[in-house]
Amino acid sequence: MSFPRLISHLIDDPELSDKMVLVAGPRQVGKTTLAKQWLARASCDDLYYNWDDERVRRAYRKDPHFFESTLREKGRSARLVFDEIHKVPHWKTVLKGYYDYFSPDFHFLACSIPESY
């Protein structure tokens, strides 16, 4: 059963559309569910990348922009989710680089567990 999230309206706010959204919180609070619902609303389900998945990690090591062709196929305003991104070494720098390069055309949401957990 899925419950409406209090923050779901914020990630769809047009005033935040040019910003990257970082959803952080403890395990099992609905970060992934929220992210997948956000992608589904824009028909971008195939732009969900979870760093717990070895295939995603392998693709990243081979080509750090492994997601770009799929992203561009969706066109401007496509949505992209990086889940468990905190498992990438220097993830904040990586994420900032992606945002700086792709943000004029695309929307980003990243899910992470705060460092205190």
Side-chain angles (χ1 to χ4, degrees):
M1 174 182 263
S2 180
F3 296 97
R5 300 285 173 212
L6 294 175
I7 64 168
S8 62
H9 71 283
L10 292 175
I11 63 174
D12 284 323
D13 188 328
E15 290 185 31
L16 298 177
S17 65
D18 62 338
K19 308 291 186 231
M20 181 187 315
V21 176
L22 177 61
V23 178
R27 290 174 177 80
Q28 303 297 313
V29 296
K31 298 180 300 293
T32 297
T33 300
L34 178 73
K36 287 182 175 184
Q37 290 171 347
W38 182 72
L39 287 174
R41 287 194 294 275
S43 300
C44 292
D45 304 74
D46 54 341
L47 288 168
Y48 171 81
Y49 300 102
N50 186 320
W51 259 260
D52 280 337
D53 185 340
E54 177 59 33
R55 292 172 296 183
V56 171
R57 292 192 307 267
R58 202 174 312 127
Y60 172 75
R61 286 190 299 267
K62 185 176 179 183
D63 174 15
H65 286 182
F66 68 96
F67 56 87
E68 184 173 4
S69 61
T70 306
L71 185 64
R72 294 205 182 277
E73 285 173 13
K74 294 288 184 181
R76 292 182 63 95
S77 299
R79 295 176 176 183
L80 175 70
V81 169
F82 294 124
D83 201 352
E84 303 290 338
I85 188 72
H86 61 280
K87 296 180 180 178
V88 175
H90 310 288
W91 70 273
K92 292 175 186 174
T93 303
V94 170
L95 205 51
K96 183 185 180 312
Y98 287 159
Y99 180 76
D100 289 347
Y101 185 77
F102 293 107
S103 68
D105 298 323
F106 308 109
H107 305 289
F108 287 82
L109 189 147
C111 299
S112 176
I113 296 174
E115 293 175 15
S116 62
Y117 285 94

